[in-house]
């Protein structure tokens, strides 16, 4: 199988797997048990992993909270800030985001908006077992969300952001690099605007970790979301970066009330093997990123050249001068993406957009003004293991 769907997930790096295995075998201690060597070893492994994740973004280790992945981190941060601001600080109820965020940001915001009652209802509706009209129920949770429109590359306009800010705005959340077309948002500038207006700032950085430099001491984001399986780590583990100034984290309500794991934000026994794998993946990214990103960047024009010859009239989407290396979103004339992908599926893995569990046409493509050709959208994403021979 030629694997060209690395934005959906990456293969696990053999070094990562080797680092994880002892924690699935002999080192099975619970890090919260503390006093005997098995537990001490597990706790040490979790803390070392935290240091490695932190090192990749130049954060303090205690600013890294391990979660079950980026969907969880996004939900934790958005709902956690909303809850804290409303119930503890009484400081406002308006959140600003964009229309091309990952579903886990969009749906968390729609939940707060009262526009979804229960995600299962929506999924059932999509699979046509239950009609959305019959099951939809508007709930007033007391939050207002502005979903900003984006430009033809899927990027947020800074003036639009400024104009959307109200006195009751509490949080802005914008994706760092788009998972379908790869465009990067001007996160530095958007974050500065948020800070000037005293609004907390979150970015879903899932697709950029290990692909571009992230330095939280230079970009004053309050929160970031990450997932290990996008950078050659295991599935089911990720992190939330929560800025800590002086002695306190930027406040938000805990995700899982229970034990004191993860500074009390996420109770529950640590998945030590997964956390160790995530740490190792970040350590490798810090060590090798410059090398493998260079390789991916030089492979991209070669891939595009072949695609151009093979599919005349092909259009590459997104900001070609300012994008995530290796993400190639394109419109291929005269195809129907589902059929195209199925026809190739014995040989090569590509996709028609994000892999977030819903078989709908890509809303990102609609939002950048390509609705009429969204059934011709194909996403191909390269990894450090890709070569020109993987191409179809
Ligand atoms: N955000 C973005 C931008 C993503 O691409 C993804 C994965 N498709 C997620 C969030 C969700 O990550 P996870 O699978 O770890 O929940």
């Amino acid at each position: 199988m030629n694997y060209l769907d690395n934005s959906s997930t990456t293969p696990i790096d053999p070094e990562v797997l080797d680092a994880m295995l002892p924690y699935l075998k002999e080192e099975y201690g619970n890090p919260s048990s503390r006093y005997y060597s098995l537990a001490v070893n597990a706790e040490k492994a979790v803390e070392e992993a935290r240091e490695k994740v932190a090192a990749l973004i130049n954060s303090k280790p205690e600013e890294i909270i391990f979660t079950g992945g980026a969907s969880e981190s996004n939900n934790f941060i958005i709902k956690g800030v909303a809850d804290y601001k409303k119930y503890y600080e009484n400081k406002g109820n308006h959140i600003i985001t964009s229309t091309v965020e990952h579903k886990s940001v969009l749906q968390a915001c729609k939940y707060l908006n009262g526009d979804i009652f229960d995600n299962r209802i929506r999924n059932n509706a999509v699979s046509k077992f239950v009609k959305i009209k019959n099951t939809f129920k508007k709930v007033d949770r007391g939050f207002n969300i502005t979903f900003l429109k984006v430009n033809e590359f899927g990027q947020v306009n800074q003036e639009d952001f400024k104009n959307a800010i109200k006195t009751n705005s509490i949080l802005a959340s914008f994706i760092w690099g788009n998972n379908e077309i790869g465009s990067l948002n001007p996160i530095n500038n958007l974050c500065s605007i948020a800070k000037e207006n005293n609004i907390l700032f979150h970015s879903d950085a899932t697709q950029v970790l290990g692909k571009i430099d992230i330095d939280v001491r230079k970009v004053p984001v309050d929160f970031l979301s990450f997932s290990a399986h996008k950078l050659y780590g295991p599935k089911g583990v990720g992190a939330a970066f929560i800025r800590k100034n002086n002695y306190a984290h930027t406040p938000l309500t805990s995700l899982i009330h229970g034990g004191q794991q993860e500074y009390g934000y996420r109770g529950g026994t640590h998945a030590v093997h997964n956390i160790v794998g995530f740490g190792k993946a970040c350590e490798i990214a810090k060590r090798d990123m410059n090398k493998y990103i260079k390789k991916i960047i030089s492979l991209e024009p070669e891939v595009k050249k072949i695609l151009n010859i093979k599919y005349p009239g092909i259009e590459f989407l997104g900001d070609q001068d300012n994008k995530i290396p290796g993400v190639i979103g394109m419109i291929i004339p005269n195809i129907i993406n589902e059929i195209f992908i199925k026809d190739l599926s014995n040989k090569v893995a590509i996709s028609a957009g994000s892999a977030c569990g819903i078989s709908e046409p890509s809303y990102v493509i609609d939002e950048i003004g390509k609705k009429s050709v969204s059934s011709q959208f194909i996403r191909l994403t390269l990894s450090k293991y890709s070569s020109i021979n993987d191409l179809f």
Side-chain angles (χ1 to χ4, degrees):
M1 170 67 70
N2 296 354
Y3 189 72
L4 293 170
D5 197 18
N6 291 283
S7 286
S8 123
T9 195
T10 47
I12 201 154
D13 186 309
E15 270 192 78
V16 169
L17 183 61
D18 285 347
M20 291 171 70
L21 283 175
Y23 297 92
L24 286 162
K25 291 183 183 167
E26 62 273 19
E27 293 290 356
Y28 52 80
N30 183 332
S32 305
S33 297
R34 291 253 162 98
Y35 298 111
Y36 47 85
S37 64
L38 270 180
V40 170
N41 292 350
E43 190 185 19
K44 190 163 165 269
V46 167
E47 293 318 312
E48 281 175 6
R50 199 185 306 282
E51 283 167 18
K52 289 171 184 172
V53 177
L56 185 56
I57 62 166
N58 200 20
S59 79
K60 303 169 199 158
E62 64 270 28
E63 292 175 311
I64 300 297
I65 308 299
F66 287 118
T67 66
S71 297
E72 187 178 306
S73 300
N74 285 338
N75 271 266
F76 166 34
I77 292 160
I78 291 167
K79 292 177 189 164
V81 168
D83 184 84
Y84 194 92
K85 287 284 174 194
K86 185 169 158 72
Y87 294 104
Y88 292 89
E89 289 188 344
N90 204 9
K91 279 235 172 103
N93 62 350
H94 179 237
I95 295 174
I96 304 167
T97 186
S98 86
T99 54
V100 296
E101 300 296 314
H102 186 263
K103 280 277 179 189
S104 55
V105 168
L106 291 178
Q107 297 295 85
C109 287
K110 285 183 183 172
Y111 168 85
L112 292 173
N113 221 8
D115 278 339
I116 53 167
F117 176 64
D118 182 336
N119 209 36
R120 285 172 301 166
I121 291 170
R122 211 188 118 72
N123 283 333
N124 283 344
V126 169
S127 63
K128 298 196 178 65
F129 292 122
V130 182
K131 285 205 181 94
I132 211 157
K133 243 203 268 162
N134 296 341
T135 52
F136 180 76
K137 184 174 172 191
K138 179 96 181 165
V139 180
D140 185 5
R141 289 198 171 83
F143 294 97
N144 280 310
I145 318 287
T146 297
F147 295 92
L148 290 180
K149 295 237 164 262
V150 290
N151 69 11
E152 80 260 44
F153 300 136
Q155 294 152 322
V156 174
N157 177 290
Q158 293 168 49
E159 287 309 306
D160 290 351
F161 177 34
K162 279 185 203 162
N163 292 335
I165 295 171
K166 305 182 201 173
T167 50
N168 62 342
S169 301
I170 51 176
L171 173 72
S173 176
F174 299 122
I175 194 165
W176 199 313
N178 189 277
N179 47 315
E180 299 203 20
I181 54 174
S183 297
L184 296 170
N185 258 325
I187 289 299
N188 238 330
N189 298 344
L190 293 169
C191 186
S192 302
I193 294 168
K195 296 292 100 190
E196 280 156 22
N197 289 278
N198 209 14
I199 298 173
L200 294 174
F201 191 86
H202 165 241
S203 181
D204 177 355
T206 308
Q207 291 289 348
V208 294
L209 187 69
K211 294 178 197 149
I212 64 169
D213 281 325
I214 300 177
D215 184 337
V216 297
R217 302 268 86 85
K218 289 191 184 143
V219 189
V221 291
D222 298 287
F223 308 103
L224 295 172
S225 302
F226 305 116
S227 189
H229 72 102
K230 309 288 185 182
L231 78 156
Y232 316 100
K235 294 167 186 61
V237 60
F241 160 79
I242 304 180
R243 183 171 296 280
K244 194 172 179 195
N245 286 327
N246 303 323
Y247 299 105
H249 284 112
T250 309
L252 78 172
T253 302
S254 292
L255 172 68
I256 298 187
H257 296 95
Q260 283 304 301
Q261 290 96 344
E262 295 308 295
Y263 305 91
Y265 287 117
R266 189 184 191 259
T269 304
H270 292 97
V272 181
H273 57 297
N274 267 349
I275 289 169
V276 166
F278 187 19
K280 190 71 188 178
C282 290
E283 183 184 50
I284 295 168
K286 194 169 166 59
R287 185 188 73 200
D288 295 347
M289 193 171 112
N290 284 347
K291 201 169 60 191
Y292 68 70
I293 290 301
K294 225 187 233 171
K295 177 189 152 188
I296 292 172
I297 288 176
S298 65
L299 189 57
E300 219 179 290
E302 286 184 59
V303 170
K304 285 189 189 155
K305 200 167 137 193
I306 292 175
L307 291 169
N308 261 320
I309 295 168
K310 219 163 168 179
Y311 304 105
I314 194 170
E315 184 190 353
F316 297 107
L317 303 179
D319 185 345
Q320 299 302 304
D321 300 323
N322 194 19
K323 65 187 273 298
I324 308 171
V327 178
I328 305 177
M330 58 204 152
I331 300 292
I332 302 185
N334 307 318
I335 62 150
I336 296 171
N337 47 18
E338 275 190 31
I339 298 173
F340 187 82
I341 291 165
K342 275 186 200 148
D343 282 351
L344 285 168
S345 62
N346 282 335
K347 221 174 72 187
V348 34
I350 49 172
S351 72
S354 95
C356 48
I358 300 174
S359 56
E360 281 173 342
S362 161
Y363 57 90
V364 173
I365 302 310
D366 292 357
E367 291 296 331
I368 61 168
K370 296 279 174 194
K371 194 178 173 100
S372 62
V373 287
S374 67
S375 63
Q376 297 170 9
F377 175 63
I378 295 286
R379 181 185 68 178
L380 175 164
T381 40
L382 308 170
S383 78
K384 63 181 178 180
Y385 302 117
S386 301
S387 86
I388 202 72
N389 301 326
D390 292 330
L391 215 58
F392 40 95

